[in-house]
Amino acid sequence: MEVDVRELGGSRVTVHVRLDVGEVQGAFDRTYQQLSDRGGIKGFRPGKVPRSILERHYDTELIRAVTYDDLVQKRLQDALDERKLRPIERVSVEAGAPPDEEERLAETIRSGLLAEQEDEAAEEAEVEDEEEEVHDEEGDHEHEEIPLVEGEPFEFHATFTVYPRPQLPDLSDLKLRRPVAEVTDEEVDARLEELRRINAEEIEVERDTIEDGDLVIADVKVVVEDEDEGEFEPTEREITVGEGSYLGEIDQALIGHTPGDIVERPFEYGEDHPDEALRGRSGRIIAEIDSFSARKLPDLDDDFAQSLGDYETLEALRASTREQFEKRAADEAREELRGQVLRCILENAEVELPEEFVERTAERSYDDLRSELQRVGMSLEEFAEVAHSDEEGLRDNERRRAESALKLNFALDALAEELGVEVADDDLTAELQRVAAESGGDLEFVQQAAALQPDFADEMRDRALRRKLIDHIVDSAEIEDVPADEYEAERAAERRAAENEAAVAAVAAFEAAEAAESEGEEAPAPAAPAELTEAAAEQAAPTDQESETQ
């Protein structure tokens, strides 16, 4: 058997298989032997029926059809296995050699001109396929001309889309930077003070004005600049004076005021606010005081430590608090290393994505976005307006996200195969435990879900494989420890540079679109912004902790 594979781009390939006379004859001999083994012919035992009797008993076209099906299916599978090709669609085989480039180009043009007719033909073919499933072997080929002839060589070809084979980056000398955060005495003391506030006892007071540490009940609303104040409804909030975790430090502004007072403070949203529409904007936070009560904090002593758990002394509580901070810092540093690995793979791997994969994934993501918006009572049009975009822009954004996510997923699968990383039962159990912890459920419930739902089990196995793969790459890399504040400053600078680059690219794409429109040409699609590559990396990386935004 001779096999030629022609790559056509876009993960499309043509496999050309040539079989000599001996292979064709061997296939016919196997068919006759199978018919003999089947038996059922009077006067002959199964396996002992002479070929001459079989030829008189079975139709010649049926024998050729059975031989053709068996030979093509087996040899095509052998060719796929030999070249490690994984089709993502049904493979249709055609007899003979594949067309040359000129013929293929002409066929492509004809296909484009007759797209609608082909769609209708595909629907009809699907119906025909369903009908053929109920036919027996003889009925399957009743009206087909079988191109296979005994005693002659045979060749066939098939053109189809395969799972892409990424060109992977060399990770053998990968260098990573691990942010190391020093746990200070001040952080530990601040946590103990927080525990005191949490466990404070509320007491009534005779004074009229609010003091530091009081618990205030107030109706609070936030009014963004250039917006009508009447459109914002207040919400009842409990504010602990002194915590400093409120916009505009409104808690500090409450000191000295009495119930019935209205207190207002200005503030500005940070440039890193998760809502892009609010970044850098100013506003006012308005609180109408309803009531307040004093809070008596417990003494910071051994009794307080013992009330919180299995701590004999205050020093034991302090040591445990420090250990928790150190573990959290180590976990966060580990996640940063994983993120660096994912960004490296995403930025340096080359993957030729099948168009149908991108379209299907983007459409599913767009539908998910619409469903989520409907759940919170917002339409796509309203969301697009807030995001300073339109429906076409939202679709383009989901498509770029799909491209980044698919690229990373295919690259990770290929890396796992290349590095020989496989999932063991212990790895899967550990992943199920993480899911149980994240969801607040128990391990037994999650294990039952995996046993009863194949899709969920596959998802868990994929997560476990990627976690193990990324950890393997991290453990094999050269790691440099850097101060956490220095690392954060570098990452912030990288994000600002990426935003500037995305802005320049957007302007360039706009200018190219205008130029193309004036020339009557199709405008080139802009590259995926850097924030989308990071989003894809974060999406593919299972994390131990949920991210928190304020």
Side-chain angles (χ1 to χ4, degrees), residues 223-262:
V223 180
V224 182
E225 63 175 344
D226 302 327
E227 301 287 348
D228 184 1
E229 181 177 333
E231 296 181 1
F232 297 88
E233 293 294 330
T235 303
E236 184 177 272
R237 295 287 181 87
E238 291 186 353
I239 301 177
T240 302
V241 178
E243 284 192 350
S245 58
Y246 303 91
L247 288 174
E249 297 183 350
I250 189 67
D251 61 315
Q252 293 294 322
L254 298 175
I255 295 176
H257 286 276
T258 62
D261 288 353
I262 297 177

Side-chain angles (χ1 to χ4, degrees), residues 457-477:
D458 291 342
E459 180 185 349
M460 293 300 97
R461 187 167 292 276
D462 287 343
R463 282 184 48 160
L465 175 63
R466 289 173 183 176
R467 182 180 296 277
K468 188 173 184 178
L469 169 65
I470 296 167
D471 284 341
H472 173 79
I473 296 173
V474 169
D475 294 338
S476 303

Side-chain angles (χ1 to χ4, degrees), residues 326-342:
E326 290 173 345
K327 182 181 184 304
R328 185 176 67 182
D331 290 343
E332 291 175 351
R334 184 74 178 183
E335 290 305 320
E336 283 298 326
L337 293 175
R338 290 191 179 108
Q340 290 174 40
V341 169
L342 288 168

Side-chain angles (χ1 to χ4, degrees), residues 1 6 11 31 35 88 128 157-158 191 256 277 281 301 304 320 335 372 384 397 405 438 454-455 484 507 513:
M1 179 177 73
R6 183 189 305 171
S11 295
T31 299
L35 294 174
I88 62 175
E128 292 174 0
H157 70 277
R191 174 55 180 165
R281 296 185 67 181
D301 54 17
F304 173 66
S320 176
E335 290 305 320
E372 180 62 22
N397 188 61
E438 292 170 1
D455 289 345
V507 172

Side-chain angles (χ1 to χ4, degrees), residues 369-370 373-374 376-385 394:
L369 171 63
R370 178 165 47 198
L373 291 174
Q374 290 176 347
V376 298
M378 179 179 286
S379 67
L380 274 171
E381 292 75 14
E382 292 170 335
F383 178 76
E385 183 177 354
L394 294 179

Side-chain angles (χ1 to χ4, degrees), residues 8 12 94 98-115 118 157 159:
L8 308 178
R12 296 281 292 176
E94 298 182 39
D100 58 27
E101 292 300 327
E102 291 185 359
E103 292 175 343
R104 188 175 299 280
L105 178 60
E107 179 62 28
T108 300
I109 295 175
R110 286 195 297 271
S111 298
L113 294 175
L114 302 176
E118 287 186 347
H157 70 277
T159 300

